[in-house]
Amino acid sequence: MAAGTMATAAGAAVILYYVWLRKSEVKTDGVGSEEDEDLSKSSRSVKRRIVRRPAQAPATWLEAIATISETLRFTYSETLGKWPIGDLAFGINYLMRRQGNFEVASVYAGDNCVELKGEEIKKELNNLLRLLTLCRLFSKKPFPVFLDSAGYSEEDALLHKPKAGLMKPAFTIIRDENSKCFLLLIRGTHSIKDTLTAATGAVVPFHHSVLHDGGVSNLVLGYAHCGMVAAARWIAKLTAPCLLKAIAQYPDYEVKIVGHSLGGGTAALLTYILREHKEFAASTTCFTFAPGKTIPTYYRFIAKLSVNDVNPHHFHNKPCSN
């Protein structure tokens, strides 16, 4: 109880320090021709965030403290650093009310929509519903209860990380004999550490290659959410050896990466990473439900080139115009 109070007080003190630091920086600026300077400073800060953000999960306490410090600074710069708190509260309240008044049909249906029918459609929807149920059970239930509710045994759990850390979401690998696949389930936001991972939303480079017929066919360059990139790389490092061993033992099994919310965004990036290995290129698929946005709206993938056409001069940062 005392430790929790001290942690809360320390966190509040850090936030207040950044608020005071930000205000003091604003006061020390002049009034004359500082608008151009502010714009240049803002563009430089964006570049610094791209370069300085850690794209790996912290391995020590010092790295964790540095990551939390950067996360708080980034969160402040993207919220109270841009808008007054009253405007933020009004905007959030307005969007929540507006979203609550939307009907599903008005958002997703249209005049050109076609109703899908048939047994294969029902089978596919039942499969998606089952994966969504597994996500919910894994996120909400203790692991033994999850196994029992989902119809698995402890022998089916090949790997399990029950406790989340900073940029280290909880996950598990399950052998599903009925569907002949290995399920890699990634939990969504469930704890304060998951929340900090989601809040670490600065832009970091995320480049990957696309394999075809055992060789590299395309090189994709882009940017993605820092916390999810770090989480995906951490999970890939832990799960790749286990999955390679499992696929060697069960060569007819597939790999399905499943996640919801924070876990969904991480699952999407993890799929790109694993598919860079020829063993996973053809057998790995991804299923996400309400995934977190992994790529900011103001950046896009800047190149999708054939390997023979790769030119180092093509690789430059280019913000979206829209």
Side-chain angles (χ1 to χ4, degrees):
M1 191 74 178
T5 304
M6 291 178 63
T8 303
V14 172
I15 294 175
L16 290 174
Y17 168 74
Y18 279 113
V19 172
W20 171 82
L21 184 63
R22 182 67 177 179
K23 288 184 177 180
S24 64
E25 289 177 354
V26 172
K27 288 181 180 179
T28 54
D29 289 341
V31 183
S33 60
E34 266 94 12
E35 291 186 359
D36 295 336
E37 294 181 4
D38 289 342
L39 290 175
S40 63
K41 288 180 180 179
S42 135
S43 61
R44 289 198 301 268
S45 68
V46 171
K47 292 180 181 179
R48 285 198 300 268
R49 285 205 299 270
I50 292 176
V51 175
R52 291 174 56 189
R53 292 303 309 162
Q56 300 289 343
T60 64
W61 278 105
L62 290 178
E63 292 181 3
I65 293 173
T67 301
I68 293 174
S69 174
E70 289 290 324
T71 299
L72 290 173
R73 185 173 66 175
F74 173 79
T75 303
Y76 176 85
S77 66
E78 295 297 315
T79 53
L80 295 176
K82 288 185 175 181
W83 301 283
I85 190 170
D87 293 349
L88 286 173
F90 176 81
I92 293 173
N93 182 57
Y94 170 77
L95 290 175
M96 291 179 64
R97 290 188 176 185
R98 184 185 177 193
Q99 185 178 9
N101 293 330
F102 278 145
E103 294 182 1
V104 175
S106 66
V107 178
Y108 297 102
D111 297 335
N112 297 327
C113 290
V114 178
E115 184 180 357
L116 300 178
K117 299 180 181 179
E119 293 301 321
E120 291 187 1
I121 297 298
K122 292 182 180 179
K123 182 178 179 181
E124 181 66 20
L125 290 176
N126 286 329
N127 179 51
L128 294 175
L129 179 60
R130 179 174 175 275
L131 294 177
L132 178 60
T133 303
L134 290 176
C135 279
R136 181 179 61 83
L137 291 175
F138 181 61
S139 297
K140 303 297 183 183
K141 303 292 184 181
F143 192 67
V145 178
F146 158 73
L147 291 177
D148 184 65
S149 302
Y152 298 119
S153 63
E154 293 185 0
E155 290 74 19
D156 294 326
L158 305 183
L159 183 62
H160 176 47
K161 293 293 181 181
K163 292 184 178 181
L166 184 60
M167 298 183 179
K168 300 176 182 179
F171 71 91
T172 186
I173 298 179
I174 300 292
R175 182 181 66 242
D176 192 319
E177 296 181 354
N178 294 330
S179 59
K180 289 189 175 182
C181 70
F182 298 105
L183 297 173
L184 201 170
L185 303 175
I186 305 176
R187 193 175 70 185
T189 305
H190 186 73
S191 65
I192 186 62
K193 294 179 180 179
D194 293 327
T195 303
L196 289 172
T197 301
T200 311
V203 181
V204 295
F206 180 70
H207 313 321
H208 64 278
S209 57
V210 179
L211 302 187
H212 182 68
D213 293 335
V216 178
S217 63
N218 286 296
L219 180 65
V220 181
L221 308 179
Y223 300 90
H225 183 285
C226 177
M228 295 183 192
V229 170
R233 289 174 177 169
W234 176 74
I235 295 177
K237 183 179 179 180
L238 295 181
T239 58
C242 177
L243 288 173
L244 287 172
K245 182 179 178 181
I247 289 178
Q249 188 175 358
Y250 300 92
D252 57 333
Y253 275 44
E254 297 181 347
V255 177
K256 293 182 180 180
I257 304 177
V258 188
H260 167 261
S261 185
L262 170 68
T266 304
L269 296 175
L270 176 62
T271 304
Y272 284 121
I273 295 173
L274 290 182
R275 280 184 173 177
E276 292 184 324
H277 302 272
K278 62 180 182 179
E279 295 84 358
F280 302 123
S283 63
T284 303
T285 54
C286 179
F287 298 86
T288 67
F289 303 93
K293 185 182 295 185
T294 58
I295 303 171
T297 55
Y298 47 90
Y299 278 86
R300 65 175 175 226
F301 284 115
I302 58 176
K304 187 174 183 180
L305 308 172
S306 171
V307 174
N308 298 326
D309 297 331
V310 170
N311 186 333
H313 297 290
H314 292 162
F315 302 161
H316 59 279
N317 300 340
K318 183 184 293 184
C320 277
S321 58
N322 51 357

